[in-house]
Amino acid sequence: MKAVVCVEHGPPEKLVVKDVPTPEPGRGQVRLKVEAAGVNFPDTLIIQNLYQFKPPLPFTPGGEAAGTIDAVGEGVEGVAVGDRAVVMTGNGCFAEYVIANRAQVVPIPAAMPSDVAAGFIMTYGTSHHALKQRARLQPGETLLVLGAAGGVGLTAVELGKVMGAKVIAAASTDEKLALTRDYGADETINYTDANLKDEIKRLTGGKGPDVIYDPVGDRFAEPAFRSIGWNGRYLIVGFAGGNIPSLPLNLPLIKGASLVGVFWGAFTQAEPAVHRANMAELLEWYGAGRLRPHVSKRFPLSEGPAAIRWMMDRKATGKVVLTA
Ligand SMILES: NC(=O)c1ccc[n+]([C@@H]2O[C@H](COP(=O)([O-])OP(=O)(O)OC[C@H]3O[C@@H](n4cnc5c(N)ncnc54)[C@H](OP(=O)(O)O)[C@@H]3O)[C@@H](O)[C@H]2O)c1
């Protein structure tokens, strides 16, 4: 089979696309024939050995794929050959076939296209868990989303609206902000030009947002936190901007505000029943047409390295996927 292989750590240009043996599922595992694989920010880090999980070389990147189960190992229950599914494996998905443990398999509705499914579970799953369980976002509250046109950011905008919030979207270009408007953002901030803290204050009448969703970190976190409202919840989602920022601890004190960590992958392991209920709710909303997953670009598997480069260069909006 064809696979994108990381033979030495480094930028995407060091990846090679080559033929490797097709893997066989072991006990408790399934094999998925990959139709589409989602590109996620951790893929940009894992190939550079900068991610918390460090698979031994050589390895195939790609944490999320959709397709059809084509082989099942011993002892697997509840899924069968021919089932359509998404698998969340951490790596191995930028290939024609991938092996997944049974627990990493999420069945998908027959009507969900593979390229949509390949980018759905992690992005929507993260934002839904963040807004629902971690922030307890309430109808009528104000939600500020940073990096709002990105993979997880755009889903936070969309889910914020579904959950009845007023949404302020912040991103780096007017094109990205136009996309967030299309997904329901009530107000926008271009944080390349604007004074972020002043703009947030202006758009909230001085009160500040109730919830801030931050997948970017870096230089945006402190001015954003300084603008948060009383009883605010600041969701720490990721650090796509590069630096992990520090915050003076007097700030949460004077705002009566909370810093709230979000780690969706660990949540799915620690609270599987809540995770399943979340997924059921998201798939119900999708089935009812309340969510419109945005796949902005598709690359063939052979151009997997270019897809990762596209994301690293901040060109991606919504989801980027590799297609078989
Ligand atoms: N905590 C969790 O459970 C969890 C789950 C999924 C993802 N994440 C994290 O969330 C973050 C975003 O993931 P994603 O898949 O949404 O990525 P993405 O699609 O690339 O979006 C990231 C956004 O960050 C902004 N950004 C600012 N500086 C950047 C830089 N130097 N390089 C790249 N982007 C930059 C970009 O928006 P602008 O150009 O508008 O600034 C971009 O749209 C990552 O750190 C990821 O690891 C965390």
Side-chain angles (χ1 to χ4, degrees):
M1 69 166 186
K2 270 210 179 352
V4 177
V5 183
C6 181
V7 287
E8 60 176 313
H9 294 123
E13 292 71 23
K14 293 249 181 212
L15 295 167
V16 292
V17 182
K18 62 176 190 172
D19 284 315
V20 299
T22 303
E24 293 298 327
R27 189 174 172 78
Q29 295 182 321
V30 306
R31 184 173 65 197
L32 188 85
K33 184 171 185 345
V34 177
E35 292 162 11
V39 182
N40 287 296
F41 201 81
D43 302 324
T44 71
L45 301 176
I46 207 164
I47 60 169
Q48 301 179 81
N49 208 23
L50 298 175
Y51 196 53
Q52 61 247 46
F53 301 115
K54 300 182 188 299
L57 294 169
F59 71 91
T60 288
E64 184 173 33
T68 305
I69 293 173
D70 90 319
V72 171
E74 268 179 65
V76 169
E77 289 178 5
V79 293
V81 169
D83 286 358
R84 298 190 68 243
V86 165
V87 298
M88 310 288 309
T89 55
N91 55 70
C93 289
F94 294 170
E96 289 180 296
Y97 295 88
V98 62
I99 299 295
N101 297 327
R102 170 65 186 90
Q104 298 169 326
V105 178
V106 182
I108 52 171
M112 192 181 232
S114 295
D115 56 353
V116 168
F120 187 89
I121 306 287
M122 187 189 288
T123 52
Y124 281 99
T126 298
S127 295
H128 186 250
H129 166 56
L131 298 176
K132 186 169 181 171
Q133 280 93 31
R134 304 302 288 141
R136 299 177 190 280
L137 180 68
Q138 301 300 313
E141 287 193 319
T142 299
L143 165 69
L144 167 70
V145 181
L146 304 179
V152 294
L154 196 61
T155 63
V157 170
E158 210 182 358
L159 289 169
K161 292 311 297 176
V162 169
M163 293 166 78
K166 173 186 174 184
V167 176
I168 303 173
S172 63
T173 69
D174 290 344
E175 293 74 23
K176 288 185 176 185
L177 291 171
L179 177 68
T180 68
R181 288 255 186 211
D182 189 38
Y183 275 74
D186 300 285
E187 304 284 355
T188 58
I189 302 172
N190 183 330
Y191 51 41
T192 303
D193 308 326
N195 178 315
L196 183 59
K197 182 176 153 219
D198 291 350
E199 268 305 279
I200 298 168
K201 287 268 179 204
R202 187 180 70 76
L203 291 173
T204 56
K207 179 174 164 279
D210 301 291
V211 175
I212 298 180
Y213 181 99
D214 181 9
V216 184
D218 204 78
R219 66 191 172 88
F220 301 118
E222 185 167 337
F225 194 89
R226 283 183 183 277
S227 78
I228 204 166
W230 179 249
N231 256 332
R233 289 87 77 203
Y234 191 97
L235 295 163
I236 303 160
V237 180
F239 310 104
N243 286 320
I244 298 176
S246 303
L247 204 64
L249 282 184
N250 64 316
L251 296 181
L253 184 153
I254 57 179
K255 294 296 182 106
S258 311
L259 287 165
V260 187
V262 178
F263 190 173
W264 179 74
F267 154 74
T268 65
Q269 307 280 313
E271 301 178 55
V274 185
H275 165 52
R276 275 196 299 278
N278 281 1
M279 278 299 132
E281 184 164 62
L282 286 170
L283 290 171
E284 186 192 314
W285 285 343
Y286 172 76
R290 299 181 75 189
L291 302 177
R292 289 186 295 130
H294 180 66
V295 181
S296 63
K297 202 157 169 68
R298 296 162 181 81
F299 290 83
L301 177 62
S302 57
E303 291 175 22
I308 298 178
R309 168 55 67 196
W310 187 258
M311 177 167 271
M312 284 174 80
D313 286 350
R314 228 166 151 174
K315 292 178 179 159
T317 57
K319 286 306 301 182
V320 172
V321 299
L322 299 187
T323 53

